[in-house]
Amino acid sequence: MDRFEYADSKLSPGEIENVEERGVKLYDGDHKTSFERGDVVVTSHRLLWGQAGDIAQGLTCLSLSLKLIVFVEEESSSGFGFSKSKKVVLHLTEAPKDKNLGPVIKSLYDYVKLSFKEGLREDFVQILQDNIQKKRWEQNPVQPQSQVGVQNRTIKLRTGIVGIERSIQEKHKATDKSISAAFQDLSKLMTMAKDMVQLSKNISDKIRLKHGCYGSGLWLIEGLAPS
């Protein structure tokens, strides 16, 4: 399993799809893995395994370069009839040092098995062997991506960045408006508070004035009273 690597399932220019099977489980040597009931696609350059529907959508999948496969064989049935699935064994050469990241860093086995739960078409093994023997990847080398494609992706990337920047600017504007409105409300509140304080002061002054007048009148009345 350490020969598999994560890769884009989209076919590169010059790469041709040959055959597809569904409901395939991967074995690392004789040991079962968690990669169950996936789709397998054989191209002129690679063997791809992905969860159901992922390869068709061009999503990331497991990729095994055909040049790493030494030979292919169908595993003989045990004869007990407990398993109806057919298995294909891929014997592999050593993993290249420059291999991309994959599901397994180091495997103890130099072969993997494909278990076909939904049956195996008769020409699957023949197509795979034919690609390996004739080295189809050398006959149809992958072409470098065109400058136009690179420019288109660059434009899309820049457009995306501009969109993000605009979104951030809009959020800043909305925040500034909210802060400005809050300050306006605070200013109004402070003005109202000052008015209330002034009103309270006026009322307090009037009360003191009335109290002073009342006290003076009482004093005068007491002064005029007979002794």
Side-chain angles (χ1 to χ4, degrees):
M1 284 293 293
D2 57 357
R3 277 71 159 182
F4 279 93
E5 59 186 8
Y6 294 115
D8 191 340
S9 61
K10 294 179 181 179
L11 300 184
S12 301
E15 185 177 13
I16 303 172
E17 180 178 332
N18 299 130
V19 63
E20 178 182 2
E21 289 286 359
R22 298 179 179 178
V24 182
K25 181 174 183 176
L26 297 182
Y27 283 72
D28 185 13
D30 292 319
H31 291 271
K32 296 180 180 180
T33 70
S34 60
F35 301 102
E36 301 181 353
R37 295 193 175 278
D39 297 336
V40 163
V41 172
V42 175
T43 76
S44 53
H45 294 65
R46 302 177 293 169
L47 183 143
L48 306 176
W49 186 97
Q51 295 292 341
D54 284 0
I55 297 178
Q57 298 179 53
L59 303 179
T60 300
C61 67
L62 298 183
S63 173
L64 175 65
S65 176
L66 296 189
K67 63 183 179 181
L68 298 180
I69 302 177
V70 179
F71 69 95
V72 183
E73 65 174 340
E74 290 190 56
E75 186 176 72
S76 301
S77 175
S78 61
F80 293 101
F82 295 121
S83 176
K84 295 181 180 180
S85 62
K86 293 186 178 181
K87 293 184 176 64
V88 173
V89 184
L90 307 180
H91 296 269
L92 310 171
T93 186
E94 294 183 0
K97 296 181 180 180
D98 58 347
K99 184 182 73 69
N100 295 327
L101 180 65
V104 176
I105 297 176
K106 183 64 176 177
S107 175
L108 299 176
Y109 306 94
D110 57 1
Y111 65 95
V112 295
K113 291 182 182 181
L114 310 178
S115 178
F116 297 83
K117 300 294 184 181
E118 300 180 8
L120 174 65
R121 53 184 289 177
E122 295 180 358
D123 59 348
F124 181 89
V125 174
Q126 181 59 44
I127 292 173
L128 182 56
Q129 288 177 333
D130 189 62
N131 283 353
I132 295 170
Q133 292 173 359
K134 295 181 180 180
K135 297 183 178 181
R136 298 290 189 188
W137 58 90
E138 293 182 357
Q139 297 178 14
N140 300 293
V142 173
Q143 301 297 324
Q145 295 179 346
S146 65
Q147 187 64 27
V148 175
V150 174
Q151 291 176 352
N152 289 339
R153 286 197 302 276
T154 303
I155 291 173
K156 290 181 180 180
L157 178 60
R158 290 177 178 174
T159 303
I161 294 175
V162 171
I164 294 173
E165 290 178 345
R166 287 178 179 174
S167 178
I168 294 174
Q169 290 175 357
E170 291 298 327
K171 289 181 180 180
H172 283 323
K173 288 181 181 179
T175 302
D176 292 341
K177 289 181 180 179
S178 298
I179 294 175
S180 178
F183 274 115
Q184 290 179 0
D185 293 340
L186 179 61
S187 178
K188 292 179 182 179
L189 183 62
M190 292 179 66
T191 301
M192 292 177 62
K194 290 181 180 179
D195 293 340
M196 292 297 293
V197 171
Q198 185 62 41
L199 178 61
S200 177
K201 183 178 180 181
N202 293 339
I203 294 174
S204 178
D205 290 341
K206 288 181 180 180
I207 291 175
R208 285 199 299 270
L209 179 61
K210 290 181 179 180
H211 180 73
C213 294
Y214 175 79
S216 299
L218 181 63
W219 179 79
L220 290 172
I221 293 173
E222 290 177 351
L224 296 174
S227 57

Short mmCIF file of all heavy atoms in Angstrom, two decimals, residues 89-125:
data_model
loop_
_atom_site.label_atom_id
_atom_site.label_comp_id
_atom_site.label_asym_id
_atom_site.label_seq_id
_atom_site.Cartn_x
_atom_site.Cartn_y
_atom_site.Cartn_z
N VAL A 89 -4.19 -9.87 -7.85
CA VAL A 89 -2.97 -9.54 -7.11
C VAL A 89 -2.05 -8.71 -8.00
O VAL A 89 -1.76 -9.09 -9.14
CB VAL A 89 -2.23 -10.82 -6.65
CG1 VAL A 89 -1.02 -10.44 -5.81
CG2 VAL A 89 -3.17 -11.72 -5.87
N LEU A 90 -1.60 -7.58 -7.45
CA LEU A 90 -0.66 -6.72 -8.17
C LEU A 90 0.69 -6.81 -7.47
O LEU A 90 0.84 -6.36 -6.33
CB LEU A 90 -1.15 -5.27 -8.17
CG LEU A 90 -2.59 -5.01 -8.66
CD1 LEU A 90 -2.91 -3.52 -8.58
CD2 LEU A 90 -2.77 -5.53 -10.08
N HIS A 91 1.68 -7.41 -8.11
CA HIS A 91 3.03 -7.50 -7.55
C HIS A 91 3.79 -6.24 -7.94
O HIS A 91 3.82 -5.86 -9.11
CB HIS A 91 3.73 -8.75 -8.08
CG HIS A 91 3.06 -10.02 -7.65
ND1 HIS A 91 3.41 -10.69 -6.51
CD2 HIS A 91 2.05 -10.74 -8.21
CE1 HIS A 91 2.66 -11.77 -6.37
NE2 HIS A 91 1.82 -11.83 -7.40
N LEU A 92 4.42 -5.63 -6.95
CA LEU A 92 4.96 -4.29 -7.12
C LEU A 92 6.47 -4.23 -6.94
O LEU A 92 7.06 -5.03 -6.20
CB LEU A 92 4.30 -3.33 -6.12
CG LEU A 92 2.77 -3.35 -6.07
CD1 LEU A 92 2.26 -2.52 -4.91
CD2 LEU A 92 2.19 -2.86 -7.38
N THR A 93 7.06 -3.26 -7.61
CA THR A 93 8.47 -2.96 -7.40
C THR A 93 8.58 -1.99 -6.22
O THR A 93 7.57 -1.60 -5.63
CB THR A 93 9.08 -2.33 -8.66
OG1 THR A 93 10.49 -2.17 -8.47
CG2 THR A 93 8.47 -0.96 -8.95
N GLU A 94 9.79 -1.59 -5.86
CA GLU A 94 9.99 -0.70 -4.72
C GLU A 94 9.37 0.67 -4.97
O GLU A 94 9.29 1.14 -6.10
CB GLU A 94 11.48 -0.54 -4.43
CG GLU A 94 12.16 -1.82 -3.96
CD GLU A 94 13.62 -1.59 -3.63
OE1 GLU A 94 14.09 -0.44 -3.77
OE2 GLU A 94 14.29 -2.55 -3.23
N ALA A 95 8.94 1.27 -3.89
CA ALA A 95 8.35 2.61 -3.99
C ALA A 95 9.43 3.63 -4.29
O ALA A 95 10.52 3.59 -3.70
CB ALA A 95 7.65 2.96 -2.68
N PRO A 96 9.20 4.56 -5.20
CA PRO A 96 10.19 5.58 -5.51
C PRO A 96 10.38 6.53 -4.34
O PRO A 96 9.46 6.76 -3.55
CB PRO A 96 9.58 6.30 -6.72
CG PRO A 96 8.11 6.07 -6.61
CD PRO A 96 7.96 4.70 -6.02
N LYS A 97 11.57 7.07 -4.22
CA LYS A 97 11.87 7.97 -3.10
C LYS A 97 11.13 9.29 -3.20
O LYS A 97 10.89 9.95 -2.19
CB LYS A 97 13.38 8.22 -3.02
CG LYS A 97 14.19 6.96 -2.71
CD LYS A 97 15.67 7.27 -2.63
CE LYS A 97 16.47 6.02 -2.31
NZ LYS A 97 17.93 6.30 -2.23
N ASP A 98 10.80 9.70 -4.42
CA ASP A 98 10.14 10.99 -4.61
C ASP A 98 8.62 10.85 -4.67
O ASP A 98 7.92 11.74 -5.15
CB ASP A 98 10.63 11.67 -5.89
CG ASP A 98 10.39 10.81 -7.13
OD1 ASP A 98 10.07 9.62 -6.97
OD2 ASP A 98 10.53 11.35 -8.25
N LYS A 99 8.09 9.72 -4.19
CA LYS A 99 6.65 9.49 -4.21
C LYS A 99 5.93 10.49 -3.32
O LYS A 99 6.41 10.87 -2.25
CB LYS A 99 6.33 8.07 -3.74
CG LYS A 99 4.86 7.70 -3.83
CD LYS A 99 4.61 6.31 -3.29
CE LYS A 99 4.70 6.28 -1.78
NZ LYS A 99 3.58 7.02 -1.14
N ASN A 100 4.76 10.91 -3.77
CA ASN A 100 3.95 11.83 -2.98
C ASN A 100 3.34 11.12 -1.77
O ASN A 100 3.37 9.89 -1.67
CB ASN A 100 2.84 12.44 -3.84
CG ASN A 100 3.37 13.31 -4.95
OD1 ASN A 100 4.39 13.97 -4.80
ND2 ASN A 100 2.68 13.32 -6.08
N LEU A 101 2.77 11.89 -0.88
CA LEU A 101 2.16 11.35 0.33
C LEU A 101 1.04 10.38 -0.02
O LEU A 101 0.24 10.62 -0.92
CB LEU A 101 1.60 12.49 1.18
CG LEU A 101 0.93 12.09 2.51
CD1 LEU A 101 1.95 11.48 3.45
CD2 LEU A 101 0.26 13.30 3.14
N GLY A 102 1.00 9.26 0.70
CA GLY A 102 -0.04 8.26 0.47
C GLY A 102 -0.65 7.78 1.76
O GLY A 102 -0.34 8.29 2.85
N PRO A 103 -1.52 6.78 1.70
CA PRO A 103 -2.22 6.28 2.89
C PRO A 103 -1.32 5.51 3.84
O PRO A 103 -1.64 5.37 5.02
CB PRO A 103 -3.31 5.38 2.31
CG PRO A 103 -2.74 4.90 1.02
CD PRO A 103 -1.95 6.05 0.48
N VAL A 104 -0.21 4.96 3.32
CA VAL A 104 0.71 4.16 4.14
C VAL A 104 2.14 4.66 3.91
O VAL A 104 2.57 4.84 2.76
CB VAL A 104 0.63 2.67 3.78
CG1 VAL A 104 1.65 1.86 4.56
CG2 VAL A 104 -0.77 2.14 4.04
N ILE A 105 2.86 4.90 4.99
CA ILE A 105 4.24 5.36 4.87
C ILE A 105 5.17 4.22 4.49
O ILE A 105 6.01 4.35 3.58
CB ILE A 105 4.71 6.00 6.19
CG1 ILE A 105 3.85 7.24 6.50
CG2 ILE A 105 6.19 6.40 6.10
CD1 ILE A 105 4.18 7.88 7.83
N LYS A 106 5.03 3.09 5.16
CA LYS A 106 5.88 1.93 4.89
C LYS A 106 5.07 0.65 5.03
O LYS A 106 4.43 0.43 6.05
CB LYS A 106 7.08 1.90 5.84
CG LYS A 106 8.06 0.77 5.56
CD LYS A 106 8.72 0.91 4.19
CE LYS A 106 9.76 -0.16 3.95
NZ LYS A 106 10.36 -0.07 2.61
N SER A 107 5.10 -0.19 4.00
CA SER A 107 4.38 -1.45 4.03
C SER A 107 5.35 -2.62 4.12
O SER A 107 6.48 -2.54 3.63
CB SER A 107 3.51 -1.58 2.76
OG SER A 107 2.89 -2.85 2.72
N LEU A 108 4.90 -3.69 4.73
CA LEU A 108 5.72 -4.90 4.83
C LEU A 108 5.61 -5.78 3.60
O LEU A 108 6.33 -6.77 3.48
CB LEU A 108 5.30 -5.71 6.07
CG LEU A 108 5.45 -5.01 7.43
CD1 LEU A 108 4.89 -5.91 8.53
CD2 LEU A 108 6.91 -4.68 7.69
N TYR A 109 4.71 -5.41 2.70
CA TYR A 109 4.42 -6.27 1.55
C TYR A 109 4.79 -5.59 0.23
O TYR A 109 4.73 -4.36 0.13
CB TYR A 109 2.93 -6.64 1.54
CG TYR A 109 2.47 -7.25 2.84
CD1 TYR A 109 1.90 -6.47 3.83
CD2 TYR A 109 2.63 -8.61 3.09
CE1 TYR A 109 1.48 -7.02 5.03
CE2 TYR A 109 2.23 -9.18 4.29
CZ TYR A 109 1.65 -8.37 5.26
OH TYR A 109 1.26 -8.92 6.45
N ASP A 110 5.13 -6.42 -0.73
CA ASP A 110 5.44 -5.90 -2.06
C ASP A 110 4.32 -6.28 -3.04
O ASP A 110 4.56 -6.42 -4.24
CB ASP A 110 6.80 -6.42 -2.56
CG ASP A 110 6.86 -7.93 -2.58
OD1 ASP A 110 5.85 -8.57 -2.23
OD2 ASP A 110 7.91 -8.47 -2.95
N TYR A 111 3.13 -6.45 -2.52
CA TYR A 111 1.98 -6.70 -3.39
C TYR A 111 0.71 -6.22 -2.70
O TYR A 111 0.65 -6.11 -1.47
CB TYR A 111 1.85 -8.19 -3.73
CG TYR A 111 1.55 -9.10 -2.56
CD1 TYR A 111 0.24 -9.47 -2.26
CD2 TYR A 111 2.58 -9.58 -1.75
CE1 TYR A 111 -0.04 -10.31 -1.19
CE2 TYR A 111 2.31 -10.41 -0.68
CZ TYR A 111 1.00 -10.78 -0.40
OH TYR A 111 0.73 -11.60 0.66
N VAL A 112 -0.28 -5.91 -3.51
CA VAL A 112 -1.60 -5.53 -3.01
C VAL A 112 -2.63 -6.38 -3.73
O VAL A 112 -2.36 -6.96 -4.79
CB VAL A 112 -1.90 -4.03 -3.25
CG1 VAL A 112 -0.96 -3.15 -2.45
CG2 VAL A 112 -1.83 -3.69 -4.73
N LYS A 113 -3.83 -6.44 -3.13
CA LYS A 113 -4.91 -7.21 -3.75
C LYS A 113 -6.12 -6.32 -3.97
O LYS A 113 -6.41 -5.43 -3.16
CB LYS A 113 -5.31 -8.39 -2.86
CG LYS A 113 -4.28 -9.48 -2.75
CD LYS A 113 -4.79 -10.63 -1.90
CE LYS A 113 -3.75 -11.72 -1.73
NZ LYS A 113 -4.26 -12.86 -0.92
N LEU A 114 -6.80 -6.58 -5.07
CA LEU A 114 -8.07 -5.93 -5.36
C LEU A 114 -9.15 -6.99 -5.25
O LEU A 114 -9.11 -8.01 -5.95
CB LEU A 114 -8.07 -5.32 -6.77
CG LEU A 114 -6.88 -4.43 -7.16
CD1 LEU A 114 -7.05 -3.97 -8.60
CD2 LEU A 114 -6.77 -3.24 -6.22
N SER A 115 -10.10 -6.75 -4.37
CA SER A 115 -11.20 -7.70 -4.19
C SER A 115 -12.46 -7.11 -4.82
O SER A 115 -12.93 -6.04 -4.43
CB SER A 115 -11.44 -7.96 -2.70
OG SER A 115 -12.52 -8.84 -2.51
N PHE A 116 -13.01 -7.82 -5.80
CA PHE A 116 -14.15 -7.34 -6.58
C PHE A 116 -15.44 -7.97 -6.03
O PHE A 116 -15.78 -9.10 -6.35
CB PHE A 116 -13.96 -7.68 -8.06
CG PHE A 116 -12.75 -7.00 -8.66
CD1 PHE A 116 -11.48 -7.56 -8.52
CD2 PHE A 116 -12.88 -5.81 -9.36
CE1 PHE A 116 -10.37 -6.94 -9.08
CE2 PHE A 116 -11.78 -5.19 -9.91
CZ PHE A 116 -10.51 -5.75 -9.77
N LYS A 117 -16.14 -7.20 -5.22
CA LYS A 117 -17.35 -7.70 -4.57
C LYS A 117 -18.51 -7.82 -5.54
O LYS A 117 -19.42 -8.62 -5.32
CB LYS A 117 -17.74 -6.75 -3.42
CG LYS A 117 -16.68 -6.61 -2.33
CD LYS A 117 -16.46 -7.92 -1.59
CE LYS A 117 -15.47 -7.73 -0.44
NZ LYS A 117 -15.24 -9.00 0.29
N GLU A 118 -18.52 -7.02 -6.58
CA GLU A 118 -19.64 -7.02 -7.52
C GLU A 118 -19.29 -7.72 -8.82
O GLU A 118 -19.91 -7.50 -9.85
CB GLU A 118 -20.09 -5.58 -7.79
CG GLU A 118 -20.56 -4.85 -6.54
CD GLU A 118 -20.99 -3.43 -6.82
OE1 GLU A 118 -21.06 -3.06 -8.02
OE2 GLU A 118 -21.26 -2.70 -5.86
N GLY A 119 -18.30 -8.57 -8.77
CA GLY A 119 -17.91 -9.29 -9.97
C GLY A 119 -16.80 -8.60 -10.72
O GLY A 119 -16.49 -7.42 -10.49
N LEU A 120 -16.16 -9.32 -11.64
CA LEU A 120 -15.03 -8.81 -12.39
C LEU A 120 -15.23 -9.09 -13.87
O LEU A 120 -15.43 -10.24 -14.27
CB LEU A 120 -13.74 -9.48 -11.90
CG LEU A 120 -12.46 -9.18 -12.67
CD1 LEU A 120 -12.10 -7.70 -12.54
CD2 LEU A 120 -11.31 -10.06 -12.16
N ARG A 121 -15.20 -8.05 -14.68
CA ARG A 121 -15.36 -8.26 -16.11
C ARG A 121 -14.16 -9.02 -16.67
O ARG A 121 -13.03 -8.87 -16.20
CB ARG A 121 -15.54 -6.92 -16.84
CG ARG A 121 -14.47 -5.89 -16.56
CD ARG A 121 -14.79 -4.57 -17.24
NE ARG A 121 -14.64 -4.67 -18.69
CZ ARG A 121 -14.91 -3.67 -19.53
NH1 ARG A 121 -15.39 -2.53 -19.05
NH2 ARG A 121 -14.73 -3.81 -20.82
N GLU A 122 -14.40 -9.80 -17.67
CA GLU A 122 -13.39 -10.74 -18.17
C GLU A 122 -12.14 -10.06 -18.70
O GLU A 122 -11.03 -10.60 -18.58
CB GLU A 122 -14.01 -11.61 -19.26
CG GLU A 122 -15.12 -12.53 -18.76
CD GLU A 122 -15.72 -13.37 -19.86
OE1 GLU A 122 -15.28 -13.21 -21.02
OE2 GLU A 122 -16.60 -14.20 -19.58
N ASP A 123 -12.29 -8.88 -19.29
CA ASP A 123 -11.14 -8.25 -19.93
C ASP A 123 -10.39 -7.28 -19.01
O ASP A 123 -9.45 -6.62 -19.44
CB ASP A 123 -11.58 -7.51 -21.19
CG ASP A 123 -12.63 -6.44 -20.90
OD1 ASP A 123 -13.17 -6.43 -19.77
OD2 ASP A 123 -12.91 -5.62 -21.79
N PHE A 124 -10.78 -7.19 -17.74
CA PHE A 124 -10.13 -6.24 -16.83
C PHE A 124 -8.64 -6.54 -16.70
O PHE A 124 -7.79 -5.67 -16.89
CB PHE A 124 -10.80 -6.26 -15.45
CG PHE A 124 -10.19 -5.30 -14.46
CD1 PHE A 124 -10.65 -4.00 -14.37
CD2 PHE A 124 -9.15 -5.68 -13.62
CE1 PHE A 124 -10.09 -3.11 -13.47
CE2 PHE A 124 -8.57 -4.80 -12.72
CZ PHE A 124 -9.05 -3.52 -12.64
N VAL A 125 -8.33 -7.77 -16.33
CA VAL A 125 -6.93 -8.16 -16.13
C VAL A 125 -6.16 -8.04 -17.44
O VAL A 125 -5.00 -7.58 -17.45
CB VAL A 125 -6.84 -9.59 -15.58
CG1 VAL A 125 -5.38 -10.05 -15.51
CG2 VAL A 125 -7.47 -9.66 -14.19
#
